[in-house]
Amino acid sequence: MPLTDKTLVHDDLGVETKVEPTVLFQITDHFQRRDEGQDFVVGTLLGTEDVAGVVQVCSCFPVPHTKVEDQIALNSEFFTTMLGLQQRVQPKHKVVGWYATGERISDATILFHEFFQGQDVERPVHLLLNLGLGKQQRMSSKAFISVDMTLGEARLGTSFREVPLSFVTGE
C-alpha cells in the first residue's frame, strides 16, 4: 500500500455540528457560576445525530471537575444522575459530546474526551467555547472530533480535527 493511501490530513470526517443558541447561554451561565479558582468549565452536550452525520446539540448540563496539581477528575456520579434526569425530560436526546471553555485544546482535553467516549458515544463532539476573555476579547466557538493517529497498526495518539459548526434556532 502506498504511503498516500492512509495520509489524509484534510479528509472530510462526515460530521457537521449544529448548535441551538440556548446552549451557548447555558455554557456561559455555567462559566459565570464556576467555583472560585477554576479557569474553565466542562459539561455534557445532549441532542441527536442523524444518518448523514449531522449532530444537533439541543441542550447541555455542567459536569463538575476538580483539579489538584496535575490531576483532573470529573464527577462521574453527578454526570450519571444528571443524565438520568435529562433523559426523563427529553428521552430522545442522547449524549452527543461535551463542551469546555477556553481558547484552545488543552492537555486535559484528551482525558475528558476519553470519559465521554466511554459513555456509549461513538464520535463525541467537543465544543470549545472561547468567551473572549483573552487578548482579542471576542467570543468564538469551534467543534472538534477526535481521530486516532496511527502508523501501520500502531496507534500513536489522538488528534482533534475541526468540523463544520453552525447555530440554528430551535423548533
Side-chain angles (χ1 to χ4, degrees):
M1 162 171 57
L3 183 61
T4 56
D5 287 353
K6 286 291 199 173
T7 57
L8 298 174
V9 177
H10 298 289
D11 61 334
D12 180 17
L13 297 173
V15 176
E16 179 184 354
T17 306
K18 295 184 177 187
V19 178
E20 293 186 11
T22 56
V23 172
L24 297 178
F25 294 120
Q26 290 171 317
I27 296 170
T28 303
D29 182 61
H30 179 198
F31 184 80
Q32 290 295 322
R33 297 172 187 262
R34 72 191 184 283
D35 290 339
E36 188 174 324
Q38 283 189 328
D39 297 332
F40 63 95
V41 295
V42 178
T44 305
L45 299 175
L46 299 168
T48 59
E49 182 175 2
D50 66 18
V51 293
V54 177
V55 175
Q56 180 89 26
V57 180
C58 303
S59 65
C60 64
F61 64 86
V63 179
H65 70 280
T66 54
K67 182 176 181 180
V68 178
E69 295 178 19
D70 292 340
Q71 302 291 321
I72 295 180
L74 283 175
N75 187 333
S76 59
E77 187 175 312
F78 181 88
F79 167 82
T80 303
T81 301
M82 284 299 293
L83 181 59
L85 293 170
Q86 291 284 334
Q87 289 181 327
R88 288 173 66 185
V89 174
Q90 290 288 343
K92 292 182 181 180
H93 291 177
K94 63 177 188 160
V95 176
V96 293
W98 64 286
Y99 69 82
T101 56
E103 294 181 18
R104 63 186 149 277
I105 299 286
S106 71
D107 293 339
T109 300
I110 190 67
L111 300 172
F112 294 132
H113 202 73
E114 286 174 352
F115 173 82
F116 285 96
Q117 278 182 317
Q119 305 304 318
D120 295 328
V121 183
E122 186 178 329
R123 296 186 304 182
V125 171
H126 170 38
L127 179 65
L128 181 62
L129 183 61
N130 179 357
L131 296 171
L133 303 174
K135 291 180 183 178
Q136 293 189 4
Q137 295 186 340
R138 182 176 175 196
M139 189 173 179
S140 65
S141 56
K142 294 181 179 181
F144 300 91
I145 294 288
S146 68
V147 178
D148 287 339
M149 295 184 326
T150 59
L151 182 60
E153 298 297 317
R155 183 178 177 272
L156 302 176
T158 301
S159 171
F160 286 90
R161 305 268 282 289
E162 193 170 348
V163 295
L165 172 66
S166 61
F167 297 95
V168 296
T169 57
E171 293 181 26

